[in-house]
Amino acid sequence: MLYRKVPKNGDELSILGFGCMRLPMKEDGSIDEERATKQVRYAIDHGVNYIDTAWPYHMEQSEPFLGRALTDGYREKVKLATKLPSWLIESREDMDKFLNAQLEKLKTDHIDYYLIHALVGELWDNVRKLGVADFLDKAKADGRIINAGFSFHGSGEDFNRIVDAYDWDFCQIQYNFLDEKNQAGTRGLEYAASKGLGVIIMEPLRGGNLTNPVPPAVKEIWDGAPAKRTAAEWALRWVWNHPEVTVVLSGMNEETHIEENLKVADEAYPNSLTETELQLIKKVEQKYRELMKVGCTGCRYCMPCPSGVDIPLCFEMYNNVYMSGNADETKFFYAARLGGILGGDPGFASQCVQCGECLEKCPQHLDIPTVLESVIEELEGSDLEERVVMVKQLFKKQT
């Protein structure tokens, strides 16, 4: 495992961090705790020392899970990160209330890396007005938090002013080869590093969109590279190639993914990609931009939908029509997965009543109701009910 230093405190953090937003799950939607615990501990045993969670992850169950998973001496082996849910803060007292509850959930007396979560300009203005600087100063002074930072999903202009507004130790931004100019982007990465902040990267694979599935046209480009690497390895190496990056978070929920990521994290030095390799990645980026219709990362911040729409899955299916090139197969899986046939309740795009609640929650600032109309047009149509019946019959025969 390679490690990089946080400039302000000298902590040596593993370049691969374990993100606990997409843990393995059981059929009933709960965390598969036995499997997830083994995964987290295996990663720690193999050098990962930065573990990231947050209040809302897994419907508020990620933090309690980690409190249990990090027993037996594992808490002492890692730097633990969690986040203050900025959108729920209505008073200065709320900040202490949430932090104290998180300490209890995580079974710890301190948070090593504490972030103000999912900031955009308006949320920052609100928590700043309510006294977040005083909260962070006092929480650091009394030892409940060690390092103060923020995660960010707003515009580049807001990013710089938030960086300048407090003596932060670190920040967390979305960054991958499709997001060089999105949100904080490359400019934000370089600006934060110039101010001495450690920079934690989220969504290096754009919620899996850069790896699952890999469109045939993109695979053809990867296959033409002299170095034979998976799409995930190319994407991770691209991020780690930037010396300003401290840690890259990966939502590893498959054992094979953990093994692959650990292997790459042994080798991914900054500035190690050749110019030829960088140009290859640029070609892949351009191809993705031709193919993708909606920039959803699958973070599920928009969920639950009051009308039951499974927004991220609708968008995943919508992108798959264009990335797979197989519309008929995608329509089949849309009926199966969104129709409740494989478990759960129906979550079709056509259930949307355009209440607009999701618009305030989306970190990518997508016009979700409008995109859902395109999903309806592309994937539902007059034969949706017929497809649902056919899929039900098919699965009935197989069981």
Side-chain angles (χ1 to χ4, degrees), residues 145-164:
I145 68 174
I146 309 302
N147 300 286
F150 66 95
S151 68
F152 184 77
H153 283 294
S155 68
E157 294 77 13
D158 284 333
F159 180 77
N160 285 12
R161 72 182 180 90
I162 294 173
V163 168
D164 293 337

Side-chain angles (χ1 to χ4, degrees), residues 17-28:
F18 202 114
C20 295
M21 186 172 77
R22 298 184 176 97
L23 297 166
M25 298 172 66
K26 296 181 178 179
E27 290 185 3
D28 64 3

Side-chain angles (χ1 to χ4, degrees), residues 72-90:
D72 302 327
Y74 279 90
R75 172 66 184 93
E76 291 72 29
K77 297 179 180 180
V78 300
K79 300 298 184 182
L80 181 58
T82 194
K83 311 175 185 77
L84 180 74
S86 59
W87 59 95
L88 297 177
I89 301 303
E90 297 179 352

